[in-house]
Amino acid sequence: MSGRGEKYNEPLSPVTYEGKIKRSLFIADLAPVHNEDESKNFLSQIISKYRDATHNCRAYIFSNGSEYSSDDGEPSGTAGKPILNAIKHSGLVNVMIVVTRYFGGVKLGTRGLIDAYGMTAAKALEMAEIKECIITQKFFIVLEYSQMGLITRLLENNNALNLKWEYNESVSVIADIPVDFCESLTRELEELFARKIIISFDKNLTAL
């Protein structure tokens, strides 16, 4: 996620847009997807839904920077790339668009296909509700019961999200920390660990 800042936008829910261009019916199905398995499942659903379609061209972009496009039998560069470019222009990530075409008997030509696929994808993107996501790092802290107040205040001061406490012989807490606060929190936890005020801590990258 490097270079994208601490926040990014992804679609909240699926969207469908359809329109006719020179007798051909173009249907854009958009969905939030976060990995290749989700993208394959979404594509399978669309292919099953439109079994008699001429083409199911598609593209996706994930929040980690991975991207993909397919012309699905249309002339090279006339379908998948325009869909991908529409997604890039929108600024959304973790999104896949499949544009299904039913050929209407009139050839559109290279420029016509590029415009049709790009515009259809753009219309779906305009309809999409947007969810703002915060890039976080997940921290796991183990402490004695007597230090709960201290650690609670420390996490609050670092804008911690989604706190999950567990109570056994000692206390553990998992929290999502916005990336802007991770460096300072790490330094503070290292100091607390060195002073034996906390038992241990660990962290790994994730996103909310």
Side-chain angles (χ1 to χ4, degrees), residues 100-126:
T100 301
R101 181 189 182 193
Y102 286 90
F103 182 55
V106 177
K107 292 185 177 181
L108 300 182
T110 299
R111 184 74 254 171
L113 286 172
I114 291 171
D115 291 344
Y117 278 102
M119 183 196 72
T120 304
K123 291 288 188 182
L125 287 159
E126 288 173 6

Side-chain angles (χ1 to χ4, degrees), residues 143-154 165 167 171:
L143 57 141
E144 301 290 354
Y145 280 81
S146 59
Q147 302 300 335
M148 282 186 63
L150 172 66
I151 298 306
T152 298
R153 289 191 297 274
L154 179 63
W165 296 88
Y167 307 96
V171 183

Side-chain angles (χ1 to χ4, degrees), residues 9-51:
N9 293 326
E10 65 177 46
L12 182 62
S13 56
V15 166
T16 300
Y17 166 83
E18 59 180 77
K20 279 195 172 181
I21 300 173
K22 292 186 178 179
R23 298 184 186 175
S24 283
L25 176 63
F26 288 84
I27 307 169
D29 283 281
L30 175 155
V33 294
H34 301 86
N35 52 56
E36 287 191 14
D37 286 341
E38 289 184 9
S39 70
K40 288 176 182 176
N41 289 339
F42 178 55
L43 178 60
S44 295
Q45 293 172 22
I46 299 303
I47 291 174
S48 177
K49 183 177 179 181
Y50 308 115
R51 292 181 182 278

Side-chain angles (χ1 to χ4, degrees), residues 129-145:
E129 291 186 69
I130 294 173
K131 173 186 176 182
E132 184 179 77
C133 302
I134 302 171
I135 306 302
T136 64
Q137 200 161 20
K138 194 175 291 293
F139 278 69
F140 177 73
I141 307 167
V142 182
L143 57 141
E144 301 290 354
Y145 280 81

